[in-house]
Amino acid sequence: PQSAESEGRPVRCTAAGTTLRVRKYRPTVIPQRFNPASRFRRLFQIILHVRLRCLGISCRRGCLVQKKTIAVQNSSFISLVEDNHYYVDKAAAFKPLIESGTLVDLITRPQGFGKTLFLDALKCFLTIDPENPGSTAKQEQSFLGLKVVENLDFCGKYMGQVPVLFLSLKGVEGATFEDAYRALVQIIVEAAQAHAYLLDSPRITEENKKLLCKYLSLDFMRDLDHIDYASGFLRNMLFFLARHFNRQAMLFLDDYD
């Protein structure tokens, strides 16, 4: 009986015909020796873990893992990738857009939808390296893990192979036409400066290089008497890019309205 076992009284075993004394098992507890080094090491790990959590870094299986953060009002694809921010992968839309067969594509979405970020990512994917044409090292690093790199044929044809002229007309406004024109000229000059390497191109004539120098001069372009140069900027710059790289150039125009 259970009562007899707990009390340690003799118990009759009918099968063997003998009397047994059953005692309740009591595990032996061995006291642990105090180890100051292990206690200090554990305390240090706790303090380090708390400090890393405050910095947005977690520690998993002995490895430091930088936590991703959400960027607000950031339309730079390279900045999102390098600063370890969250990025919703829309690169899979590159292929149907580029291979749509249309000469002009218009993207109309509400404000804050991500149009500027999408164009910036597409520009980074397509833009050819003027110092090393054909190299895709920058794109392979920036787009690592995204859907678009899984299409090897598309990447081999377009990744880092296209001359791109990118302009954003955001901020082109003013109380008068002159004020708005000065804002536009500032964007034109900055876009020309991004392609100043064309001055050293052997495929561009000296006359076209003189025209490019005028686009690079802010004082020259601000003069309203030279407004005709501003009206022909897009056409001329696309011609310069196509002539230098010997391939068709693309124009990305953001905030055109």
Side-chain angles (χ1 to χ4, degrees), residues 188-224:
I188 289 177
V189 173
E190 292 177 356
Q193 291 175 351
H195 301 281
Y197 57 86
L198 295 173
L199 292 173
D200 299 327
S201 176
R203 297 181 178 178
I204 298 179
T205 63
E206 293 299 326
E207 183 178 357
N208 288 333
K209 290 181 180 180
K210 292 179 181 180
L211 179 58
L212 179 58
C213 290
K214 294 178 180 179
Y215 290 140
L216 293 170
S217 175
L218 183 60
D219 295 334
F220 178 86
M221 294 299 299
R222 278 181 174 177
D223 191 346
L224 285 175

Side-chain angles (χ1 to χ4, degrees), residues 97 100-107 248 251 253:
L97 178 64
S100 62
T102 58
L103 186 62
V104 179
D105 290 287
L106 177 63
I107 302 177
Q248 184 179 6
L251 170 65
L253 191 60

Side-chain angles (χ1 to χ4, degrees), residues 23-124:
R23 296 184 179 275
K24 190 176 181 179
Y25 172 74
R26 296 180 180 180
T28 304
V29 179
I30 302 176
Q32 296 182 353
R33 182 177 299 179
F34 177 73
N35 190 345
S38 62
R39 294 292 181 88
F40 177 79
R41 183 167 55 253
R42 179 56 181 166
L43 179 62
F44 176 77
Q45 292 175 352
I46 295 175
I47 296 175
L48 178 61
H49 178 74
V50 173
R51 293 295 299 274
L52 292 177
R53 288 293 298 272
C54 294
L55 296 176
I57 303 175
S58 62
C59 183
R60 299 177 181 177
R61 296 182 180 180
C63 300
L64 295 181
V65 180
Q66 182 72 37
K67 286 189 175 181
K68 290 182 178 294
T69 56
I70 299 177
V72 181
Q73 298 296 329
N74 188 347
S75 299
S76 173
F77 172 76
I78 297 298
S79 176
L80 292 178
V81 173
E82 292 181 350
D83 296 341
N84 200 31
H85 295 301
Y86 280 107
Y87 172 72
V88 179
D89 186 7
K90 299 180 181 179
F94 291 173
K95 186 177 186 298
L97 178 64
I98 297 300
E99 297 182 346
S100 62
T102 58
L103 186 62
V104 179
D105 290 287
L106 177 63
I107 302 177
T108 56
R109 290 295 184 273
Q111 184 178 3
F113 189 84
K115 301 182 297 295
T116 300
L117 177 58
F118 177 80
L119 283 181
D120 187 73
L122 182 58
K123 180 197 70 173
C124 295

Side-chain angles (χ1 to χ4, degrees), residues 98 122 126 158 162-166 238 241 248-252:
I98 297 300
L122 182 58
L126 296 174
Y158 292 102
V162 181
V164 176
L165 177 62
F166 182 91
L238 290 173
L241 290 171
Q248 184 179 6
M250 292 187 181
L251 170 65
F252 292 166

Side-chain angles (χ1 to χ4, degrees), residues 125 139-140 143-152 155 159:
F125 177 81
Q139 286 84 354
E140 291 175 359
F143 289 88
L144 180 65
L146 299 186
K147 191 70 175 180
V148 67
V149 297
E150 297 179 2
N151 194 325
L152 300 181
C155 291
M159 177 186 282

